[in-house]
Every structure is written in C-alpha cells, then in structure tokens.
Amino acid sequence: MATTLAIDCGGGGIKASVLDAAGTMRARPLRVPTPYPLPPSLFVTTLLDLGARLPAADRLTVGMPGMIRHGVVVATPHYVTRSGPRSRVDPDLVAEWSGYDARGALAEAFGMPALVLNDAEVHGAGVVAGTGCELVLTLGTGLGSALFDGGTIAPHLELSHAPVRWNTTYDTYVGEPERRRLGDAFWSRRIRQVVDGLRPVFRWDRLYLGGGNSRLIRPEQVARMGDDVVVVPNTAGIVGGVRAWDLVGDRYDPTP
C-alpha cells in the first residue's frame, strides 16, 4: 500500500504529514512558517527539511498557491514578494517562479513521483463527493478556488484575481486583512454575499468552504447560504494529498 507525503503550502505556513492509502495520517502534522523571501531553491529545501522529519513515503503531493499547470508554476501570488503576502513584489522572484517546473524539481529532490497542484485543488480532493459540479473555496490569506466535474479536477482558474468591485479583487475582499479589519460578524456577511454572487456563475451542485478561516464564518450566515453549502475542516489540505492522484484525470501525468 502506497504512502503519501502530503505538503500544504500557504502564504503564512507550510504543513505536512504522511498518509496511508486510505488517507489516514500516519504521523502528527508538522508546520513551519513560510520563509521570505522565497526563491524556488529555498522552497525545495524547506519542503525537504520538513519531509525529513516525517516517516518515509512512496510519493509526494504538494499544494501551493497560484496558477499551476501540469506541475509548472504560471504565477504564484505570495512567493514572489519580499516579506510575505501583500508586501512588495520582487521582480527577480517573479522571473524565477514564472515557468518553474515545481513537479520536476520536487520529484528529483525527493526521489519519488510527485504531484503538484494548486492548494485549493488538493484541499478539494479531500472533501468532494465526486458527483456533479462541485466548487471549493478556501478562505485564508486570500481566496483559493477549485472546480470539480464528476470528481475530476477542472482546469484551474484564478478566481481570486477577478474583480468583485471597483479596483478590488476577491483575494482582497475576503482575505485575512479584511477579516481582521471588519471583524468576524461583518466578514461572515461578506462571505455570504460572495457566495450569493457566485451561485449563478457556477450553478454548483455543492459548494465547500474550507481553509483556515472557514471555521470563523458565523453559523447564522452559513444557514442563510443554503443546504448546498458545506463548511469543511482545514485538514483537508493534507488529507486530499492521497485522493488527488485519482482526480487529476488524463490531462496530467504525475509520474517523473
């Protein structure tokens, strides 16, 4: 039975554990702060050091923020900054990350097959039912999103960068800085407004709200969203590391 080293990379922290074939953690999850500035070489080293503190595994799943296509970074919002989310963007880091073959680099560094996806896609793999149209929104530093059709991960769209109002993206509108500024009550109302606005766009069969901040949504606002909206635990970002291999479809070969 294959074991999977699952690593969930966020803007503020990187978490990892080793899972068995059923998706059960074989070790207590470990977390380290995301270091900045973060060139790709340090990213790989950080993940190697974290993996070395966990039991050996047969394969690797990594979820990271940004537009990832076939394991290659098209763009990543946080890792190109000098000191973390919403700090100044470093042009040199933009150049280093653009087109970076993360899957190839990690597969070589760890010496095992690797799967590298957007972090919301891995999160979604841990919770979707596998039937119909299912949308996953993760709430944390910003907004992550993943769409599943019949259990297969659809091509990734950076919904977080779409404008929700004049000169404001979804990432800014519902991200952690706004939650702190507004307070949980007003922020929760804003989350419901976003859900109501996206409903006619996706016509989902089920919407999952995950990420570290999903637990802070007020129950009365969750109740007003409807029975087709479910709040899921943040641990899905790790647990999905196993099931993601079965949900990528034929468009992506994770083997090195």
Side-chain angles (χ1 to χ4, degrees), residues 214-241:
S214 63
R215 60 185 174 83
L216 302 176
I217 305 174
R218 293 293 179 87
E220 63 273 16
Q221 297 299 336
V222 174
R224 294 182 64 182
M225 293 180 198
D227 294 338
D228 58 350
V229 179
V230 181
V231 176
V232 295
N234 193 35
T235 52
I238 294 179
V239 175

Side-chain angles (χ1 to χ4, degrees), residues 40-253:
S41 58
L42 178 57
F43 176 75
V44 173
T45 300
T46 301
L47 269 57
L48 275 173
D49 291 345
L50 191 57
R53 297 164 55 191
L54 291 163
D58 301 307
R59 62 186 186 182
L60 170 68
T61 303
V62 173
M64 59 179 293
M67 176 70 78
I68 316 297
R69 289 181 182 155
H70 306 282
V72 175
V73 179
V74 177
T76 183
H78 309 311
Y79 300 165
V80 297
T81 61
R82 296 183 178 181
S83 57
R86 294 179 174 81
S87 64
R88 181 175 298 180
V89 172
D90 186 330
D92 292 334
L93 287 175
V94 173
E96 286 193 64
W97 277 108
S98 180
Y100 178 68
D101 183 2
R103 185 204 67 85
L106 290 169
E108 180 178 359
F110 280 86
M112 66 178 75
L115 181 66
V116 180
L117 300 169
N118 173 271
D119 52 348
E121 293 176 334
V122 179
H123 195 289
V127 299
V128 296
T131 58
C133 178
E134 299 176 280
L135 178 66
V136 178
L137 298 178
T138 56
L139 304 165
T141 304
L143 176 71
S145 64
L147 186 64
F148 295 77
D149 179 23
T152 299
I153 302 175
H156 184 67
L157 301 175
E158 280 288 73
L159 177 64
S160 61
H161 292 173
V164 65
R165 57 170 55 179
W166 179 255
N167 206 32
T168 302
T169 64
Y170 282 98
D171 210 38
T172 301
Y173 193 60
V174 298
E176 173 64 6
E178 278 295 274
R179 186 196 66 81
R180 291 181 178 179
R181 185 182 72 85
L182 294 170
D184 289 345
F186 283 100
W187 175 80
S188 297
R189 186 182 303 172
R190 181 171 286 187
I191 296 299
R192 178 175 58 80
Q193 292 170 346
V194 167
V195 169
D196 290 343
L198 292 177
R199 186 182 295 276
V201 176
F202 290 94
R203 298 289 181 180
W204 57 70
D205 294 301
R206 184 65 60 89
L207 168 65
Y208 303 89
L209 298 176
N213 283 348
S214 63
R215 60 185 174 83
L216 302 176
I217 305 174
R218 293 293 179 87
E220 63 273 16
Q221 297 299 336
V222 174
R224 294 182 64 182
M225 293 180 198
D227 294 338
D228 58 350
V229 179
V230 181
V231 176
V232 295
N234 193 35
T235 52
I238 294 179
V239 175
V242 173
R243 196 174 177 214
W245 287 74
D246 299 324
L247 302 185
V248 291
D250 297 332
R251 66 184 175 89
Y252 180 60
D253 180 8

